[in-house]
Amino acid sequence: MNIKDVSVRVGLPAKTIRYYEEIGLVTPDRAANGYRDFSAAHVHTLTFLARARGLGFSVEDCRELLALWEDQGRESADVRTIAQQHLAQIEEKIAGLQDMAATLSDLVRGCAGDARPECPILQGLAGETAQTSCEKLP
Amino acid sequence: MNIKDVSVRVGLPAKTIRYYEEIGLVTPDRAANGYRDFSAAHVHTLTFLARARGLGFSVEDCRELLALWEDQGRESADVRTIAQQHLAQIEEKIAGLQDMAATLSDLVRGCAGDARPECPILQGLAGETAQTSCEKLP
DNA sequence: CTTGACCTTCTAGTGACTGGAACCTTTATG
DNA sequence: CATAAAGGTTCCAGTCACTAGAAGGTCAAG
């Protein structure tokens, strides 16, 4: 199967697939004309990669997961450990973003959004308290 | 003020501050010996940057916000617009991550974490249903 | 035979830094 | 006064995971 068909099937840009070959995540065969030739197994691997990357696993995580995936003798505990670590990271990220969102929406809520130059958002970003006075600056 | 002191004060690595100068976000003076010399205003700008970046604004967002911040005549509506767009982006990200977390924790929950080679996590990542059978593969 | 859609490789750019080398200046200490 | 350390400077290269674009080869349809 040529790269474009694979690309459509697994939902990854052709460029990305070539890149994955470059870094050794897939190694498609080559046809006589030099075109990459992907087997069903390669497509399966790429589907795996697309999904894992979509779930936020880093490429190096993916490499590890792929190795486990292809290793018939691996312990599912290893996989579970990686997944759990990753889950913890995601949850941390979510918490961080929620913090951000809360701060930002506080700032937005305090902002009249009119033509006056006083803007609580900028004041907030500048580290001031969200009041109009500037006298307490350090 | 020398770069290290600024670095400590605003909580940005010296390298980052130099980088911000390179891309034109701050332009500290220079002492006779060639050292960067930061005024209180520069420190204030960097504090602003640290905070805005910490809230996830891109450097280009920051450039825009800085311009608004320094523009006495700007409309607070402009700032509000940027902040709201950003807030929307953050909320999208959170939703995406929550999706991920849900999928992953489903997978983790389904995984015995023992020594058997069947692993629902890998099966899930491979796009299979989380059952032990492989017969329904496309 | 030509057109257009593919394919190939290669180089370079992105964002937002970060690390390291090579060298200069200031300050404290023996 | 010599020296060592702790700071400063510039510049080049690397990170991550692609992405863009150029220059050229190949293939199927009309």
Side-chain angles (χ1 to χ4, degrees):
Chain A
M1 194 188 283
N2 280 353
I3 199 165
K4 187 66 176 297
D5 301 316
V6 178
S7 160
V8 169
R9 229 185 236 223
V10 310
L12 287 175
K15 288 255 181 197
T16 302
I17 297 174
R18 286 192 200 102
Y19 171 70
Y20 285 170
E21 179 183 10
E22 196 187 315
I23 62 172
L25 290 180
V26 234
T27 39
D29 306 324
R30 292 292 174 142
N33 57 11
Y35 286 18
R36 287 169 182 82
D37 185 18
F38 296 84
S39 71
H42 294 132
V43 172
H44 209 175
T45 297
L46 285 166
T47 307
F48 183 100
L49 284 170
R51 204 144 144 61
R53 290 283 304 125
L55 281 169
F57 286 95
S58 77
V59 163
E60 287 317 303
D61 282 342
C62 288
R63 200 189 295 282
E64 227 174 313
L65 287 168
L66 262 184
L68 289 168
W69 188 42
E70 279 156 6
D71 173 11
Q72 293 304 323
R74 93 273 150 161
E75 314 227 339
S76 85
D78 294 345
V79 182
R80 190 187 163 94
T81 302
I82 295 180
Q84 271 176 332
Q85 281 168 2
H86 188 62
L87 188 55
Q89 280 169 22
I90 290 177
E91 272 158 6
E92 229 173 276
K93 256 193 202 172
I94 291 176
L97 284 171
Q98 277 171 341
D99 252 28
M100 270 185 215
T103 305
L104 253 185
S105 72
D106 270 4
L107 293 177
V108 169
R109 197 167 37 246
C111 178
D114 56 15
R116 277 181 302 128
E118 290 83 23
C119 176
I121 295 175
L122 292 177
Q123 282 167 22
L125 287 174
E128 302 165 20
T129 58
Q131 300 174 348
T132 28
S133 153
C134 285
E135 299 185 16
K136 286 208 167 178
L137 279 179
Chain B
M1 195 189 284
N2 281 352
I3 200 167
K4 186 69 176 295
D5 301 314
V6 177
S7 161
V8 169
R9 230 186 235 220
V10 309
L12 288 174
K15 284 259 182 194
T16 302
I17 297 174
R18 285 192 200 103
Y19 172 70
Y20 285 170
E21 180 183 10
E22 197 186 315
I23 61 172
L25 290 180
V26 234
T27 38
D29 307 323
R30 293 292 175 141
N33 57 11
Y35 286 18
R36 286 169 183 82
D37 186 19
F38 296 84
S39 70
H42 295 132
V43 172
H44 208 174
T45 298
L46 286 166
T47 306
F48 182 101
L49 284 170
R51 204 146 144 61
R53 291 284 302 125
L55 280 169
F57 286 96
S58 76
V59 162
E60 287 317 304
D61 282 342
C62 287
R63 200 189 296 281
E64 227 174 312
L65 286 169
L66 261 184
L68 290 169
W69 189 42
E70 278 155 7
D71 173 11
Q72 294 303 323
R74 93 271 150 166
E75 313 225 342
S76 84
D78 295 344
V79 182
R80 189 185 162 98
T81 302
I82 295 180
Q84 272 176 331
Q85 281 168 2
H86 187 61
L87 187 55
Q89 280 170 22
I90 291 176
E91 272 158 4
E92 230 174 276
K93 259 194 202 171
I94 290 176
L97 283 171
Q98 276 170 344
D99 251 28
M100 273 185 214
T103 305
L104 254 185
S105 71
D106 271 3
L107 294 176
V108 169
R109 197 167 38 244
C111 177
D114 56 15
R116 278 180 301 127
E118 291 81 24
C119 176
I121 294 176
L122 292 177
Q123 282 166 22
L125 287 174
E128 303 165 19
T129 57
Q131 299 175 348
T132 28
S133 152
C134 285
E135 300 185 15
K136 286 209 167 178
L137 279 179

